[in-house]
Amino acid sequence: QVQLVESGGGSVLPGGSLRLSCAASGSAASINVMGWYRQAPGKQRELVAAISSGGPTNYADSVKGRFTISRDNAKNTIYLQMNSLTPEDTAVYFCQANTITTNYKFLEVWGQGTLVTVSS
């Protein structure tokens, strides 16, 4: 079983920065932490940033130039550096991983989410 634990959320002023982390733990044949999503009240969950094990990244248009996703394969951890935050970035941020279980079945895993609040 694989668990994802997000950390780094909190409250910041507009223009501030936060760094989120997502660490995978547990047993699986493989764990590939893929990226970050967010969900604001009344809105659908949306992809914020994704990263592959080889390094290619993909960002939502709304965060390009402000957010940077990175990974540490040795720690099976991904990070999201968020700069120049605006109130529209306020949301619960979730990390997501694709895993192959010890029974060799594909399983998509989500973290519990960490709240980011950007306000004056």
Side-chain angles (χ1 to χ4, degrees):
Q1 189 66 45
V2 174
Q3 295 83 41
L4 302 178
V5 179
E6 303 104 332
S7 62
S11 297
V12 297
L13 296 171
S17 298
L18 286 173
R19 189 189 188 218
L20 307 183
S21 64
C22 172
S25 63
S27 298
S30 69
I31 305 171
N32 187 211
V33 187
M34 297 298 294
W36 292 93
Y37 293 73
R38 68 184 181 188
Q39 188 165 22
K43 295 185 177 181
Q44 296 187 84
R45 187 173 298 185
E46 64 175 348
L47 176 69
V48 177
I51 187 169
S52 71
S53 61
T57 58
N58 186 39
Y59 296 92
D61 288 341
S62 60
V63 307
K64 286 181 179 177
R66 300 188 297 118
F67 291 11
T68 303
I69 188 171
S70 60
R71 71 187 308 136
D72 184 335
N73 288 328
K75 297 180 179 179
N76 225 332
T77 299
I78 62 169
Y79 307 91
L80 186 67
Q81 179 66 47
M82 305 186 294
N83 299 326
S84 302
L85 286 162
T86 75
E88 292 188 347
D89 296 316
T90 296
V92 178
Y93 286 70
F94 302 87
C95 66
Q96 183 267 333
N98 296 324
T99 71
I100 305 297
T101 70
T102 54
N103 295 322
Y104 301 100
K105 297 184 180 296
F106 177 80
L107 179 65
E108 188 177 64
V109 179
W110 293 87
Q112 289 293 105
T114 184
L115 177 63
V116 172
T117 301
V118 185
S119 63
S120 299

